[in-house]
Amino acid sequence: SKTTGRVSAAYDLDYGFTLSGAYGTGFKAPSISQSVCDFCFAPLPWPDLSPETADSVEAALGYRTSDGRLQARATLYRLNVRDQITYVAGRYINIAKTRTDGVELEGRALLGGGVDLTLAYAWTDAEDRTTGARLLRVPEHSGSAILGWTGERLSGALTVRAEGDQDDAGGVRDRFVVAHLNGAYALTPYVDLTARIENLTDKHYQHVLGYGEPGRSGYVGIRLRY
């Protein structure tokens, strides 16, 4: 067992601005898959993994207009992890110390006529503090844009996501930009007909090096609310 905690505070600066901050600790035991070395290929015994422990601190500046039509937030954070579990060279290992510094920017605007735009961007600097090397599978740059529309019964959204190059054990996974389209139609107050198209442009891309994502895919469904 492990006890973790978090403390946070916010201060209203007037004129729509809010300054906030937080400090917290974390704990993560190895999963069953990690403990039995599922998908391991190295000719070594099962790993004797230690749980991860972490502490983090963040500061943020938020803005919101009085009518709520425009919202924005900028966040700075630092995350320190001890005994971080990762997959390298065909097996799971602990990294003694890692540090991740980051900046996150996000904003949302109501454009009128039921249209809204949401933008997000993240810069991440993740480092193995024992070697100084960049952590694997953590892109330095990532972001998204969502253009949505909501009508009386029909709604939809176009989402565009992008990630920069990402280091991996076998090389570098290339950057990518991918788009998804989704919509919903309210048949009754409790039943929606949904549809979505993923990878709208049939892009060839990978989230993880060596594991290709599906091409253009379509889905329809029913959503119930009670």
Side-chain angles (χ1 to χ4, degrees):
S1 62
K2 182 72 173 181
T3 300
T4 62
R6 179 177 172 86
V7 58
S8 61
Y11 184 75
D12 186 356
L13 299 175
D14 295 329
Y15 304 104
F17 289 95
T18 302
L19 181 65
S20 60
Y23 173 80
T25 60
F27 174 85
K28 178 184 178 297
S31 68
I32 294 176
S33 177
Q34 293 166 343
S35 296
V36 302
C37 212
D38 200 6
F39 302 108
C40 287
F41 301 100
L44 296 170
W46 287 356
D48 183 15
L49 296 174
S50 300
E52 297 179 353
T53 57
D55 62 83
S56 65
V57 62
E58 67 177 53
L61 179 65
Y63 174 75
R64 178 187 175 95
T65 57
S66 58
D67 58 6
R69 298 184 64 84
L70 179 62
Q71 302 174 49
R73 182 180 175 91
T75 305
L76 303 175
Y77 71 89
R78 168 168 286 182
L79 170 66
N80 296 303
V81 181
R82 289 165 292 283
D83 294 318
Q84 180 168 324
I85 300 171
T86 190
Y87 185 77
V88 176
R91 63 181 283 104
Y92 292 101
I93 65 169
N94 285 113
I95 301 177
K97 293 181 180 180
T98 69
R99 172 174 289 169
T100 301
D101 294 318
V103 178
E104 296 179 349
L105 305 174
E106 53 188 323
R108 184 171 186 265
L110 303 181
L111 304 179
V115 179
D116 61 89
L117 177 64
T118 303
L119 301 174
Y121 167 77
W123 172 81
T124 309
D125 181 24
E127 179 186 65
D128 181 338
R129 295 188 63 196
T130 60
T131 66
R134 183 170 180 81
L135 291 182
L136 301 180
R137 306 177 196 96
V138 181
E140 185 176 6
H141 303 281
S142 62
S144 65
I146 303 174
L147 182 64
W149 177 78
T150 302
E152 185 176 348
R153 302 183 71 176
L154 183 65
S155 62
L158 173 65
T159 302
V160 179
R161 293 184 55 252
E163 288 188 9
D165 294 340
Q166 176 177 286
D167 292 338
D168 210 312
V172 177
R173 188 226 58 194
D174 292 335
R175 67 193 69 182
F176 68 83
V177 179
V178 64
H180 309 298
L181 182 66
N182 68 77
Y185 182 77
L187 299 175
T188 74
Y190 307 102
V191 181
D192 293 343
L193 176 65
T194 65
R196 73 181 190 273
I197 301 175
E198 297 187 353
N199 196 356
L200 187 62
T201 61
D202 202 25
K203 175 77 172 177
H204 177 71
Y205 74 104
Q206 302 173 81
H207 279 295
V208 178
L209 185 65
Y211 295 85
E213 296 296 325
R216 185 185 298 114
S217 307
Y219 305 84
V220 295
I222 295 289
R223 181 168 58 217
L224 306 178
R225 291 188 298 273
Y226 297 95

